[in-house]
Amino acid sequence: MKNKEYRHLIRPLHGELVQLQEWVKSTGSRVCIVFEGRDTAGKGGVIKAMTERVSPRVFRVVALTAPTDREKSQMYIQRYLPHLPAAGEVVIFDRSWYNRAGVERVMGFCTEEEAQHFLQITPMVEHAIAKSGVILLKYWLEVSDSQQTARLRSRIDDPRKIWKLSDLDLDSYSRWYDYSRARDDMFHLTDTGWAPWFVVNNDDKKRGRLNVISHLLQQVPYERMERPDVTLPKRQKRHGYTEPTQPLHWIPTPY
């Protein structure tokens, strides 16, 4: 999809996201959105597209770093629970508790017993979250092996993207089918009626972003809030104010 067409199509979706935001604020609703997928699946791009026209005070993005030693000693789900939405918030997890079902399991950062225990208890935890009134949405961004290869190569060659390429990404790349098996187990055991997995074909990033936002708007029962009439007030008069004579440090203007 060309960028001009994409910008034309995403504009009304951004307007609807603002309507959703105002409804969440007004009603005190709580929305939790989980994004998972392989490396290079496009999670960051989808989240950026969702949040570029809304308030970060309402749409809060959570992207946790590696757990500290203290967090490693806690119950696994414990570090994620404080980040669940309060009234009037939409929380977006850029990777979530499902790290245990994916990267931790495949890369050996947890035992197989720990991974299986996680897969067994997660539906119950998510049932409790949903029963508390949180609207919980889980998206898996699917990318083909050829697209993953192309995107990783672009990171190698682009100085703007090299920060996205880690040793873990390269190691993960070589374990395509281990990740496939882990994904399949995750779907089998955690795709429930109260927290289903929604799968997104994201080989075309622009179409994927549009499809996710469109789907999200259909999943949240928001209503359009009445907009008050707004008129700009008159500015006060100068009342003797003069511009300061102190020289200011204006930045250069090469553009």
Side-chain angles (χ1 to χ4, degrees):
M1 178 179 287
K2 299 297 184 182
N3 194 57
K4 183 177 180 181
E5 180 185 6
Y6 169 71
R7 299 313 307 179
H8 172 73
L9 292 172
I10 202 170
R11 183 183 176 91
L13 295 178
H14 278 155
E16 289 302 316
L17 284 172
V18 172
Q19 291 293 328
L20 184 151
Q21 169 184 274
E22 296 308 301
W23 175 81
V24 166
K25 287 165 54 181
S26 176
T27 62
S29 298
R30 294 171 291 157
V31 182
C32 180
I33 308 168
V34 168
F35 283 105
E36 292 289 344
R38 301 176 192 268
D39 293 320
T40 77
K43 297 178 291 296
V46 170
I47 292 170
K48 183 178 179 181
M50 286 179 56
T51 57
E52 63 181 328
R53 296 293 181 178
V54 292
S55 170
R57 296 179 180 86
V58 179
F59 279 73
R60 185 161 54 86
V61 179
V62 176
L64 299 184
T65 58
T68 63
D69 289 340
R70 181 176 184 275
E71 288 170 333
K72 289 177 183 178
S73 71
Q74 297 173 343
M75 182 174 67
Y76 175 73
I77 196 69
Q78 189 172 339
R79 71 190 295 248
Y80 295 97
L81 294 179
H83 299 282
L84 290 175
E89 287 185 341
V90 179
V91 170
I92 302 171
F93 279 93
D94 183 354
R95 293 201 182 277
S96 66
W97 46 91
Y98 281 99
N99 272 342
R100 175 135 295 182
V103 63
E104 289 193 11
R105 185 183 188 187
V106 172
M107 303 304 296
F109 298 150
C110 70
T111 66
E112 182 61 21
E113 182 182 5
E114 288 172 329
Q116 288 297 330
H117 177 67
F118 168 82
L119 291 169
Q120 293 295 329
I121 68 168
T122 294
M124 293 182 286
V125 173
E126 292 178 349
H127 187 262
I129 292 172
K131 288 290 285 183
S132 76
V134 174
I135 299 173
L136 176 59
L137 301 171
K138 303 186 304 191
Y139 289 99
W140 174 271
L141 304 188
E142 188 65 33
V143 63
S144 64
D145 55 353
S146 59
Q147 267 297 312
Q148 187 187 54
T149 299
R151 292 175 188 179
L152 282 172
R153 283 178 175 163
S154 75
R155 292 181 180 183
I156 295 172
D157 300 329
D158 191 335
R160 301 169 300 173
K161 299 179 181 179
I162 192 64
W163 64 273
K164 294 183 176 182
L165 191 64
S166 68
D167 292 340
L168 185 61
D169 294 332
L170 297 176
D171 202 354
S172 298
Y173 174 77
S174 68
R175 300 173 185 245
W176 175 271
Y177 292 106
D178 287 342
Y179 272 95
S180 295
R181 294 184 184 95
R183 175 203 59 196
D184 296 345
D185 278 354
M186 183 186 75
F187 285 166
H188 178 65
L189 293 170
T190 64
D191 182 40
T192 60
W194 53 88
W197 277 106
F198 297 113
V199 183
V200 183
N201 182 338
N202 207 39
D203 271 5
D204 184 325
K205 291 182 179 180
K206 293 185 178 71
R207 293 185 191 278
R209 294 166 192 170
L210 294 170
N211 289 332
V212 168
I213 296 173
S214 175
H215 183 269
L216 166 68
L217 291 169
Q218 296 173 33
Q219 303 308 305
V220 181
Y222 71 100
E223 298 176 357
R224 286 179 164 270
M225 309 306 296
E226 186 175 339
R227 293 179 58 187
D229 292 330
V230 177
T231 303
L232 286 177
K234 290 183 179 181
R235 281 207 176 112
Q236 64 182 161
K237 294 182 179 181
R238 183 182 290 268
H239 294 302
Y241 174 79
T242 58
E243 297 291 338
T245 58
Q246 175 185 349
L248 301 176
H249 301 283
W250 293 92
I251 67 168
T253 54
Y255 302 103

